[in-house]
Amino acid sequence: MTWLRAQGVGDPEGAASFAANAPLAALEQAAFAEARAALAELLSDPELDPVRGAELCLGPPLAEVLMWMQKWTYDLLRLRSGAAPRYHPHAGARLERLAQRLDPLSVARYGARVARARALALHPLNAKLVLEDLLIRYRELVTAQGAGGAHG
């Protein structure tokens, strides 16, 4: 943490956690801290606007944004199964509120969808369309439509 702090990382603990405690990756990801925070705020709202959300996510490379979405989804699954969040420890309360109402199988399916999109991230697709599609699916997941099987 001392090294990350010396490099100017404002939240070295959070950056290290997000980068699986890899210091160089944490330093690299620190450049996107504001964009990651905006995405976490967006994903915390079950009534998010997918079109507006996609526009907000267009700054960083698409592969980075999709990796962040994968990590958010992974943390939702961890919380739903009783474990602590791995990549977003500071967002635990927001994640917990969402995770409690979600069907784990639906979350896993959404995670697979994000993984498929990430595999195509370097393809010259329209990044905004990819993000809009994923955010529409995410909104379906975290609203009553997607949370219907969350009781089990």
Side-chain angles (χ1 to χ4, degrees):
M1 297 308 138
T2 304
W3 182 80
L4 286 173
R5 198 170 283 111
Q7 302 306 310
V9 176
D11 177 16
E13 291 81 11
S17 179
F18 192 80
N21 293 315
L24 293 177
L27 181 61
E28 183 179 293
Q29 285 296 311
F32 298 116
E34 190 174 309
R36 273 197 340 266
L39 180 63
E41 187 69 30
L42 176 73
L43 296 177
S44 296
D45 179 7
E47 301 302 321
L48 66 93
D49 176 353
V51 175
R52 183 177 164 277
E55 290 170 358
L56 291 174
C57 295
L58 287 177
L62 179 60
E64 292 293 321
V65 175
L66 297 178
M67 176 186 63
W68 304 340
M69 292 177 78
Q70 278 185 296
K71 289 181 176 185
W72 182 268
T73 305
Y74 179 77
D75 279 350
L76 281 173
L77 276 173
R78 284 184 57 91
L79 281 161
R80 188 65 174 94
S81 65
R86 169 73 180 94
Y87 298 108
H88 301 89
H90 299 310
R94 290 184 289 175
L95 280 161
E96 182 68 36
R97 281 191 298 276
L98 288 169
Q100 287 176 353
R101 52 184 287 199
L102 300 178
D103 171 40
L105 184 57
S106 296
V107 177
R109 285 184 182 137
Y110 178 77
R113 183 180 203 97
V114 176
R116 284 190 303 275
R118 189 169 174 215
L120 298 172
L122 298 178
H123 189 279
L125 296 170
N126 183 326
K128 185 177 179 202
L129 290 177
V130 171
L131 289 166
E132 285 176 8
D133 176 63
L134 289 172
L135 292 171
I136 287 167
R137 305 294 177 194
Y138 181 81
R139 185 179 60 191
E140 289 172 356
L141 173 70
V142 299
T143 59
Q145 300 165 13
H151 305 294

